[in-house]
């Protein structure tokens, strides 16, 4: 480069002149855009809303000072300290740190070796995976974010389960994407209302989100039901975002095949992570498994995911280095112990609340949650589920999340990861609360 002249004008050696695109040394002074400070948040920021926070922050949550608080609302299995991760998981992380191999920037999609470890762990004959089919992310939440971002444009719409995980809507609406809610049926253990689902599809529908097992319901779809969902997606040429973060947290006697293992024609982006099965949500390690079918995604969707992953530098490098040890060394007894505990607590909660007048719990088959219906006609003192759960805190110091946070009123969600004695005590208090406020319907009084 000739630093002696720029556009024929010599430099004096004391510095460089800044030349604009027109070649002139000094551009004409631009008119001031404004004369006073006015810094506003972006439309994306204004359009970002977490429905759970919107409802919970508006609740008057003042516990009964005579009773210790029992929070059945937080979907974090580590909160009470009764569900520690396995020692082998911790050791894998320590080994990763001690190796000093993972202190630098990893590729935005993750280390190739770590991606291959995930591929090996989840690959099956019906849905084979290689390292190139895996993108490591900062938790399952970023995986979901990348999938929605790569499949949808502003003005498109996505199909989301109702009740369903609130993050889908938070992300989509912030991007200018419409959310259409398809119903789950509590009387059928929260199966999809397939007719309702299909009625929502139009030419701007770009993605079907399926959460299995379910947050907030704890339901697990049968193989046959998953095939029915796939049939609808295939008929309408809809790719599926499969949120399978709880896929391995299924109670004994139930099976939970991945959607990809059942799909011959529908391309699927499956999202998962370490958070729930390994009980380390704070480690922020998630992944996308790309299950293309008939080359429908092709190189464009893969390259789109790579580009989007470059917006931030991906998942924690140290946890990436620990993945091989975590997957290879965690004993089956750890997984089985966690699932056994969750099932036991779910059964305690379901059995206790099934006999409480005015409540209709739905027994889960996996994950960490149980949904309870409220027969509001029997509780005339309360306007809705938010009012009901708010008073439950005030009277009994038990906090359950109102299902209005999942756009499903007159239910509440219980997290079943609390210690057993707390679960039993919480059920006693909920029973006491309902007995206090329960009223027979007027027609029942007449009989």
């Amino acid at each position: 480069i000739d630093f002696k002249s720029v556009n024929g004008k010599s430099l004096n050696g004391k510095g460089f002149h800044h030349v604009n695109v027109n070649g002139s040394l000094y551009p004409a002074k631009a008119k001031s855009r404004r004369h006073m400070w006015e810094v506003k948040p972006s439309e994306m920021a204004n359009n970002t809303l977490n429905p759970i926070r919107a409802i919970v922050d508006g609740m008057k949550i003042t516990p009964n000072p005579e009773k210790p608080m029992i929070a059945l609302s937080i979907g974090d299995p580590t909160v009470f300290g009764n569900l520690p991760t396995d020692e082998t998981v911790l050791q894998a992380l320590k080994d990763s740190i001690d190796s000093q191999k993972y202190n630098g920037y990893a590729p935005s999609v993750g280390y190739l070796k770590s991606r291959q470890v995930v591929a090996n762990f989840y690959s099956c004959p019906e849905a084979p995976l290689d390292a190139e089919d895996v993108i490591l992310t900062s938790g399952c939440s970023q995986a979901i974010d990348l999938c929605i971002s790569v499949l949808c444009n502003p003005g498109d719409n996505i199909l989301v389960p109702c009740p369903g995980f609130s993050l889908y809507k938070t992300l989509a609406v912030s991007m200018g994407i419409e959310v259409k809610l398809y119903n789950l049926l509590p009387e059928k253990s929260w199966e999809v209302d397939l007719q309702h689902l299909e009625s929502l599809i139009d030419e701007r529908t770009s993605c079907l989100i399926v959460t299995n097992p379910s947050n907030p319901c704890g339901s697990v779809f049968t193989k046959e039901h998953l095939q029915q969902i796939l049939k609808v997606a295939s008929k309408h040429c809809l790719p599926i975002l499969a949120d399978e973060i709880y896929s391995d947290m299924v109670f004994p006697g139930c099976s939970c095949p991945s959607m990809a293992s059942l799909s011959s024609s529908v391309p699927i982006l499956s999202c998962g992570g370490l958070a729930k099965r390994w009980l380390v949500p704070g480690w922020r390690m998630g992944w996308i498994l790309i299950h293309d079918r008939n080359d429908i995604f092709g190189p464009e969707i893969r390259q789109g995911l790579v580009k989007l992953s470059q917006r931030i530098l991906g998942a924690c490098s140290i946890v990436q280095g620990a993945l091989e040890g975590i997957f290879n060394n965690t004993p089956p007894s750890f997984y089985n112990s966690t699932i056994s505990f969750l099932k036991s607590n779910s059964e305690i909660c379901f059995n206790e609340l099934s006999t409480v007048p005015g409540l209709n719990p739905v027994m889960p088959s996996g994950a960490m949650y149980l949904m309870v219906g409220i027969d509001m006609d029997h509780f005339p003192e309360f306007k809705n589920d938010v009012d009901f759960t708010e008073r439950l805190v005030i009277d009994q110091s038990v906090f359950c999340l109102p299902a209005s946070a999942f756009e499903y009123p007159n239910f509440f969600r219980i997290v079943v990861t609390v210690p057993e004695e707390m679960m039993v005590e919480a059920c006693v208090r909920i029973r006491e609360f309902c007995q206090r406020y329960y009223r027979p319907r007027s027609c029942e009084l007449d009989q």
Side-chain angles (χ1 to χ4, degrees), residues 401-437:
L401 196 62
S404 287
F406 309 106
E407 305 202 56
Y408 205 79
N410 301 334
F411 275 75
F412 60 87
R413 187 192 74 174
I414 289 177
V415 178
V416 297
T417 56
V418 299
E420 181 178 314
E421 61 274 14
M422 292 181 69
M423 179 60 71
V424 171
E425 172 63 18
C427 290
V428 168
R429 295 190 198 175
I430 292 171
R431 176 184 296 276
E432 184 180 311
F433 176 82
C434 290
Q435 287 174 338
R436 176 179 177 184
Y437 292 104

Side-chain angles (χ1 to χ4, degrees), residues 126-130 132-134 151 238-240 259-270 288-303 305:
E126 301 81 12
L129 290 165
D130 196 16
E132 297 301 320
D133 302 314
V134 178
L151 293 175
L238 269 184
I240 288 178
M259 291 213 79
S261 69
L262 303 175
S263 175
S264 59
S265 61
V266 179
I268 293 170
L269 298 178
S270 173
I288 301 168
L289 309 180
I290 304 170
H291 295 279
D292 204 353
R293 293 293 180 268
N294 306 320
D295 205 31
I296 294 169
F297 283 151
E300 292 88 355
I301 292 296
R302 290 172 183 270
Q303 191 57 38
L305 286 168

Side-chain angles (χ1 to χ4, degrees), residues 148-157 175-178 204 206:
I148 293 175
S149 299
V150 81
L151 293 175
C152 308
N153 286 308
D156 285 351
N157 63 76
M175 301 178 201
I177 299 161
E178 181 187 359
R204 292 304 300 268
S206 54

Side-chain angles (χ1 to χ4, degrees), residues 10 57 112 120 158 196 201 225 242 247 340 363 397 437:
S10 63
D57 290 350
L112 185 64
N120 293 345
I158 61 174
H196 182 236
I201 300 170
H225 191 58
S247 65
S340 176
M363 180 63 192
S397 297
Y437 292 104

Side-chain angles (χ1 to χ4, degrees), residues 223-296:
K223 175 182 177 181
E224 293 72 24
H225 191 58
L226 289 171
Q227 289 171 327
Q228 291 173 325
I229 297 169
L230 284 164
K231 186 176 180 180
V232 172
S234 180
K235 176 182 175 181
H236 295 277
C237 301
L238 269 184
I240 288 178
L241 190 171
D243 184 350
E244 299 181 324
I245 186 69
Y246 296 100
S247 65
D248 301 297
M249 300 180 76
V250 178
F251 299 164
C254 294
S255 63
C256 186
S258 68
M259 291 213 79
S261 69
L262 303 175
S263 175
S264 59
S265 61
V266 179
I268 293 170
L269 298 178
S270 173
C271 299
L274 288 184
K276 300 308 183 344
R277 190 182 189 194
W278 287 272
L279 305 175
V280 286
W283 290 15
R284 310 311 302 141
M285 174 56 66
W287 46 76
I288 301 168
L289 309 180
I290 304 170
H291 295 279
D292 204 353
R293 293 293 180 268
N294 306 320
D295 205 31
I296 294 169

Side-chain angles (χ1 to χ4, degrees), residues 164-420:
F165 184 38
S166 60
L167 181 69
Y168 311 136
K169 183 174 182 178
T170 298
L171 294 171
V173 172
S174 73
M175 301 178 201
I177 299 161
E178 181 187 359
V179 172
K180 292 186 174 183
L181 302 173
Y182 65 86
N183 291 332
L184 305 182
L185 304 171
E187 67 275 14
K188 292 187 176 181
S189 298
W190 301 108
E191 285 191 347
V192 175
D193 183 337
L194 295 167
Q195 188 174 358
H196 182 236
L197 167 67
E198 194 163 10
S199 73
L200 298 173
I201 300 170
D202 62 24
E203 68 280 357
R204 292 304 300 268
T205 305
S206 54
C207 174
L208 165 60
I209 296 182
V210 179
T211 316
N212 188 48
S214 167
N215 174 12
C217 303
S219 54
V220 179
F221 295 149
T222 64
K223 175 182 177 181
E224 293 72 24
H225 191 58
L226 289 171
Q227 289 171 327
Q228 291 173 325
I229 297 169
L230 284 164
K231 186 176 180 180
V232 172
S234 180
K235 176 182 175 181
H236 295 277
C237 301
L238 269 184
I240 288 178
L241 190 171
D243 184 350
E244 299 181 324
I245 186 69
Y246 296 100
S247 65
D248 301 297
M249 300 180 76
V250 178
F251 299 164
C254 294
S255 63
C256 186
S258 68
M259 291 213 79
S261 69
L262 303 175
S263 175
S264 59
S265 61
V266 179
I268 293 170
L269 298 178
S270 173
C271 299
L274 288 184
K276 300 308 183 344
R277 190 182 189 194
W278 287 272
L279 305 175
V280 286
W283 290 15
R284 310 311 302 141
M285 174 56 66
W287 46 76
I288 301 168
L289 309 180
I290 304 170
H291 295 279
D292 204 353
R293 293 293 180 268
N294 306 320
D295 205 31
I296 294 169
F297 283 151
E300 292 88 355
I301 292 296
R302 290 172 183 270
Q303 191 57 38
L305 286 168
V306 171
K307 289 178 179 179
L308 288 167
S309 75
Q310 293 167 349
R311 295 177 66 183
I312 67 169
L313 281 175
C316 174
S317 59
I318 293 171
V319 183
Q320 289 187 51
L323 283 175
E324 185 171 16
I326 291 171
F327 285 166
N328 292 344
N329 301 331
T330 305
S333 58
F334 166 73
Y335 306 130
N336 295 337
S337 174
T338 303
I339 291 170
S340 176
F341 172 81
L342 295 174
K343 182 183 181 185
S344 175
N345 251 13
S346 296
E347 289 175 338
I348 289 169
C349 184
F350 176 79
N351 291 335
E352 288 297 318
L353 299 187
S354 289
T355 59
V356 175
L359 296 186
N360 299 293
V362 182
M363 180 63 192
S365 299
M368 313 185 315
Y369 312 103
L370 182 149
M371 288 277 276
V372 182
I374 313 166
D375 190 340
M376 296 305 301
D377 289 345
H378 283 301
F379 298 98
E381 191 158 334
F382 308 121
K383 297 190 294 288
N384 50 39
D385 56 309
V386 177
D387 201 18
F388 182 97
T389 52
E390 186 177 87
R391 189 75 66 86
L392 181 58
V393 176
I394 294 169
D395 284 16
Q396 297 289 342
S397 297
V398 174
F399 185 25
C400 302
L401 196 62
S404 287
F406 309 106
E407 305 202 56
Y408 205 79
N410 301 334
F411 275 75
F412 60 87
R413 187 192 74 174
I414 289 177
V415 178
V416 297
T417 56
V418 299
E420 181 178 314

